[in-house]
Amino acid sequence: MATVGVLALQGSYNEHIAALRRLGVKSVEIKKPEQLLDVASLIIPGGESTTMAKLAELHNLFPSLREFVRMGKPVWGTCAGLIFLANKATGQKTGGQELVGGLDCTVHRNFFGSQLQSFETELSIPELVSTEGGPETFRGVFIRAPAILDVGPEVQVLAHCPVSSNSTWHSNSTWHSNSSGEDKEEKGTEDKVIVAVRQGNLLATAFHPELTSDNRWHSYFLKMAGDVEGSSSSIASIGVDNSRFERSNIDLPIFL
């Protein structure tokens, strides 16, 4: 099985590495462009997206990251990683930030609010259940999280998150939450927002699977990588312990 790269500039890369280790998969920290030549797939972790972008620019990683995506190699972005992969991001800090792009969607960088508004919730995940089994929901950990405002026609929506009718975003903002790719805009009427998608070789989640004991998203990504590498049979042999989907009693780290 090929080694999985984990972008290790800042954020929760150690947690992703630990999750891969639980599945018996070797991973390597990616900090320099030339290291991407040694991996067949890549995880871009959660973190502070502006800081990560500045560090990636400092190390001249953006051209290599874009080429990695363009070549069709599997890439999974979680939280800040989702922002990196999006073709367009709103709600950015003054001056904005550089993006890798490739994922046909618009992301709002801080859709769910500040660090104090971080939360956990159960997400319906029918596609994940169909391939990985286990419970019908996944405990999504949202830490100063983004959300996907709209998607293109080639993007498959994998999960939505409920948005409270009395929340600031629900009552005062306009956003797109359209899984079909058609242009549809509603104001103050949506009750859910997109938080997980797949487009070909790209996977993105607004939440943090690496902060739970449920390894199904990592297993799903590994099977994506296996399909591209032509070794899906070896990936499929990875067992998922369906008895270990208890809620993790974790403290939300301050790295977003």
Side-chain angles (χ1 to χ4, degrees):
M1 185 184 304
T3 300
V4 179
V6 182
L7 191 65
L9 301 176
Q10 187 261 348
S12 60
Y13 58 89
N14 282 324
E15 287 80 0
H16 275 292
I17 290 170
L20 293 169
R21 188 181 301 120
R22 290 196 297 270
L23 291 172
V25 176
K26 182 180 178 181
S27 61
V28 63
E29 295 182 7
I30 302 296
K31 297 183 179 181
K32 299 178 180 179
E34 57 268 26
Q35 292 175 308
L36 287 168
L37 299 174
D38 299 324
V39 298
S41 59
L42 178 70
I43 296 175
I44 304 178
E48 209 294 315
S49 61
T50 305
T51 299
M52 287 175 63
K54 289 179 179 178
L55 291 171
E57 187 173 5
L58 178 66
H59 294 286
N60 195 33
L61 271 162
F62 277 107
S64 296
L65 288 170
R66 292 188 185 110
E67 178 65 11
F68 198 90
V69 169
R70 189 195 66 78
M71 291 175 65
K73 295 186 177 182
V75 182
W76 175 19
T78 63
C79 200
L82 159 61
I83 298 170
F84 262 47
L85 290 178
N87 282 344
K88 181 180 179 181
T90 64
Q92 299 189 61
K93 293 182 179 179
T94 302
Q97 68 181 69
E98 198 167 354
L99 302 174
V100 175
L103 184 60
D104 187 11
C105 71
T106 300
V107 171
H108 192 286
R109 181 178 174 273
N110 254 7
F111 184 89
F112 291 103
S114 68
Q115 181 83 22
L116 293 177
Q117 293 168 302
S118 300
F119 64 96
E120 298 181 23
T121 190
E122 295 294 331
L123 303 172
S124 176
I125 49 165
E127 169 66 16
L128 202 68
V129 172
S130 71
T131 60
E132 305 303 321
E136 294 184 357
T137 62
F138 184 91
R139 190 73 180 178
V141 179
F142 292 81
I143 306 175
R144 208 172 122 193
I148 298 169
L149 306 184
D150 61 34
V151 298
E154 302 302 317
V155 178
Q156 178 185 10
V157 175
L158 302 178
H160 292 88
C161 180
V163 180
S164 172
S165 61
N166 61 1
S167 70
T168 299
W169 275 103
H170 190 288
S171 58
N172 296 330
S173 297
T174 300
W175 74 86
H176 303 271
S177 182
N178 179 18
S179 61
S180 68
E182 298 174 0
D183 291 331
K184 177 182 178 183
E185 184 175 299
E186 299 183 11
K187 185 172 183 178
T189 60
E190 297 283 354
D191 59 358
K192 61 185 179 180
V193 68
I194 300 169
V195 293
V197 295
R198 178 180 177 180
Q199 181 185 345
N201 61 306
L202 302 179
L203 177 67
T205 56
F207 48 94
H208 290 266
E210 75 279 9
L211 298 182
T212 76
S213 60
D214 187 337
N215 297 321
R216 286 179 293 171
W217 283 101
H218 288 82
S219 180
Y220 182 84
F221 178 66
L222 291 171
K223 288 175 181 174
M224 285 175 52
D227 290 341
V228 172
E229 295 161 18
S231 58
S232 57
S233 59
S234 64
I235 296 292
S237 67
I238 294 174
V240 178
D241 184 354
N242 291 337
S243 67
R244 296 191 61 221
F245 297 120
E246 72 279 4
R247 174 177 173 178
S248 296
N249 293 319
I250 59 173
D251 293 324
L252 298 178
I254 304 176
F255 55 67
L256 271 236

